[in-house]
Amino acid sequence: MKNLKWVFGLLVLSFWACDPPEEPAPQPQSNVVREAIFSTMKEWYFWNMELPANVNTGAYTSNEEFLDAIIFKPLDRFSYLTTQEAFQNAFVGRNAGHGFGFGFDAEERLYLTFVFEEAPAGKDGWQRGWEIIEINGKPLSDYKSGNIYDFQLGPPDPGITNTFTFRLPDGSVTTRTNTKAEYQSNSVLHQQVFELQDKKVGYWVYQSFKATPDVTPIQSREVENSMKYFMEQGISELIVDLRYNGGGSVDVAEQINNYLINPGNSDRLMYTNKLNNAKSNFNTSEIFKKLGTLNLNRIIFITSRGTASASELVINALDPYMDLVLIGDNTFGKPVGSFPLARFNQVLQENDVELVPITFAIANSQGKAEYFDGFPADFSVSDSPQFQWGDTRDLRLAAALQYIQEGTVSSRLRQEFYRPTWEMIDAFKGLQQEFPAF
């Protein structure tokens, strides 16, 4: 999430000794680490007043179990632990795995919803719209317990191999064995311009808010290139597809908002973030600073329950200034954010335990900050992952285009709305829930 703009001094000590003392081996799963987690939470956690007064760190078998026991439920579904490297890598798109997402249609058939270009799946030619019919030689029903699926694909570590059987759009069947590897993921899954009567309509599928590595200030070159494309095409309407976007970098969300805001609202309040009472001196406000030449009065967002965090920040911050229409399903509901805290605690740093609890709440210029139930869709329309990006048979895209042409969405597109009981975002927790992919 957004970095706090603080400067830390580095004290360098010299020791007069022939042999430096040996560093103790890291012991991340220890009472000392759990005590460091608790003390850091008491200082920075947004709901710090809801923490227990005292805890027995020895009563827990893992850091994760301990954190889950002390967070403020049910509002906090988001705080997590990871490693420092994993956190940094995720926010710049350095991944490991097969590199795909999945989604169900109304008949509960499972499809690839997106494939990262440079991931092992992308290099093997996998495409959105392929139906998954078997995993490791077993039908999908073997992986279902109640409403929950566990496909047992293993952790996101290079070298793990799984075999998938697909039914392709032409009806043929193919089996592919794929090995997980490290890769650089792309955030922009598709961009296109439709010409509707006298309008040019941009269509932008954005999967996660990831910054370009080693770029200062923090921003996304992918975002910049997409916005240049739409500006060059002279669009007057824009459909932003966030249906599989679990969030990511607040800096990149700000960058996107600065492209999307209309010129007349530049220099106005984008959002404020509020920390706990002990840290209120770090509360900040962000102002719109218009980028580019897009002059949009309305944006159509395609959303789902997989639309979370920074995606919801974009919607909430733009809402007071523009006509927004949400098509698809209600969003996830995460009006709060985090930044990593290991840098504030030497024990966590030395043991490579990155603590990422909720540290602030976000409000738009009208003070709207309580959307834990998500933003409701204006028009509920089923997902149709069997169709490729840009295919107008995709129900949600068809509904968005229809709204631009007719000012409404027909009952035909809305009457058979289907909400899956289990979605990809449910398959993950913590850092992987913000950047969901297998």
Side-chain angles (χ1 to χ4, degrees), residues 147-332:
N147 292 325
I148 297 173
Y149 286 85
D150 180 4
F151 297 120
Q152 301 171 22
L153 298 178
D157 296 334
I160 294 175
T161 295
N162 290 289
T163 299
F164 303 81
T165 300
F166 300 103
R167 181 177 291 112
L168 305 189
D170 64 4
S172 62
V173 173
T174 182
T175 297
R176 306 288 181 93
T177 296
N178 195 266
T179 301
K180 296 182 181 183
E182 294 181 350
Y183 64 92
Q184 179 69 42
S185 62
N186 52 294
S187 291
V188 177
L189 300 179
H190 185 76
Q191 59 187 33
Q192 183 176 352
V193 172
F194 293 91
E195 296 199 17
L196 302 180
Q197 300 166 346
D198 59 341
K199 293 182 178 180
K200 283 191 172 184
V201 179
Y203 176 49
W204 193 45
V205 185
Y206 192 66
Q207 194 272 336
S208 57
F209 295 79
K210 295 186 286 263
T212 301
D214 304 318
V215 171
T216 304
I218 297 170
Q219 58 186 297
S220 166
R221 296 294 189 216
E222 284 190 83
V223 168
E224 182 181 341
N225 292 336
S226 285
M227 294 303 149
K228 284 182 178 178
Y229 166 74
F230 290 127
M231 287 185 282
E232 290 168 356
Q233 293 292 315
I235 65 168
S236 58
E237 299 268 7
L238 180 62
I239 301 165
V240 179
D241 195 332
L242 300 175
R243 72 181 89 176
Y244 308 130
N245 192 318
S249 168
V250 171
D251 294 272
V252 176
E254 291 172 9
Q255 179 189 8
I256 291 171
N257 273 352
N258 284 328
Y259 277 111
L260 299 183
I261 194 69
N262 40 38
N265 286 310
S266 188
D267 299 319
R268 300 186 71 177
L269 179 63
M270 184 187 297
Y271 72 88
T272 60
N273 63 1
K274 177 185 177 183
L275 282 71
N276 67 39
N277 289 339
K279 298 294 183 181
S280 60
N281 54 313
F282 295 116
N283 292 350
T284 60
S285 298
E286 191 65 30
I287 306 300
F288 285 105
K289 295 293 182 183
K290 176 64 182 173
L291 294 172
T293 58
L294 291 179
N295 190 3
L296 306 169
N297 294 316
R298 173 175 68 186
I299 298 175
I300 314 296
F301 285 100
I302 294 177
T303 59
S304 75
R305 203 164 62 81
T307 304
S309 193
S311 291
E312 293 171 302
L313 185 156
V314 165
I315 294 168
N316 195 41
L318 291 173
D319 186 51
Y321 305 108
M322 305 179 73
D323 181 15
L324 305 184
V325 180
L326 274 58
I327 291 174
D329 199 358
N330 303 350
T331 66
F332 187 73

Side-chain angles (χ1 to χ4, degrees), residues 109-112 127-134 164-175 386:
R109 292 175 298 198
L110 187 68
Y111 290 87
L112 296 178
Q127 297 288 325
R128 172 179 168 84
W130 289 15
E131 183 186 356
I132 306 171
I133 55 178
E134 287 186 354
F164 303 81
T165 300
F166 300 103
R167 181 177 291 112
L168 305 189
D170 64 4
S172 62
V173 173
T174 182
T175 297
Q386 64 268 42

